[in-house]
Amino acid sequence: MSENSITYVGPPELHCGHVLAVERAGDRATVRVRDADGRHVALEFDGVADFAAVRPEGMLLHGLAELRPTELGRQDSLRYFVFANEEEWDDASLEIAAREFWVKVAERPETMD
């Protein structure tokens, strides 16, 4: 797969953010991330067709990569997302294939206890 088939998506705040929670209900999924400034970001996925997770809670993110279906040899309308782990030694992972994706960013940082 060429580097051109990978695009980082989502806000820049995802870099060095931590995955707080992953929720899945039917064909919807939500990934909640706390960025380095304490803001919460919700990544929403609809039309989820494939979901693979290995201990994603607590994972330090490098970013959210989207793989183009044509580069994967697929001709469907699904979008393929890989949560890139900043810590290469850590086997935590999260991959989602979905039709739609959007981001919700909290307006102010959460207070830290």
Side-chain angles (χ1 to χ4, degrees):
M1 179 181 317
S2 72
E3 287 184 27
N4 294 334
S5 63
I6 300 171
T7 303
Y8 282 95
V9 295
E13 293 86 358
L14 293 180
H15 179 70
C16 290
H18 283 91
V19 175
L20 296 175
V22 178
E23 304 158 0
R24 182 166 182 205
D27 71 343
R28 297 197 60 155
T30 301
V31 179
R32 300 188 190 286
V33 175
R34 183 179 61 234
D35 74 11
D37 294 327
R39 288 185 179 82
H40 284 208
V41 178
L43 306 170
E44 305 279 345
F45 300 87
D46 192 34
V48 174
D50 196 16
F51 183 93
V54 175
R55 300 178 299 94
E57 289 85 0
M59 182 169 51
L60 178 62
L61 294 177
H62 178 73
L64 176 60
E66 181 175 359
L67 309 177
R68 296 187 184 117
T70 55
E71 294 289 336
L72 295 171
R74 305 203 46 156
Q75 300 299 321
D76 54 32
S77 62
L78 290 175
R79 298 170 69 184
Y80 296 85
F81 300 93
V82 175
F83 288 77
N85 192 335
E86 180 72 13
E87 300 174 313
E88 294 179 10
W89 55 267
D90 184 8
D91 67 346
S93 64
L94 179 58
E95 298 181 12
I96 298 174
R99 282 192 309 275
E100 296 181 46
F101 160 72
W102 64 96
V103 178
K104 295 179 184 176
V105 178
E107 292 185 21
R108 55 191 168 102
E110 295 290 321
T111 57
M112 303 296 281
D113 291 331

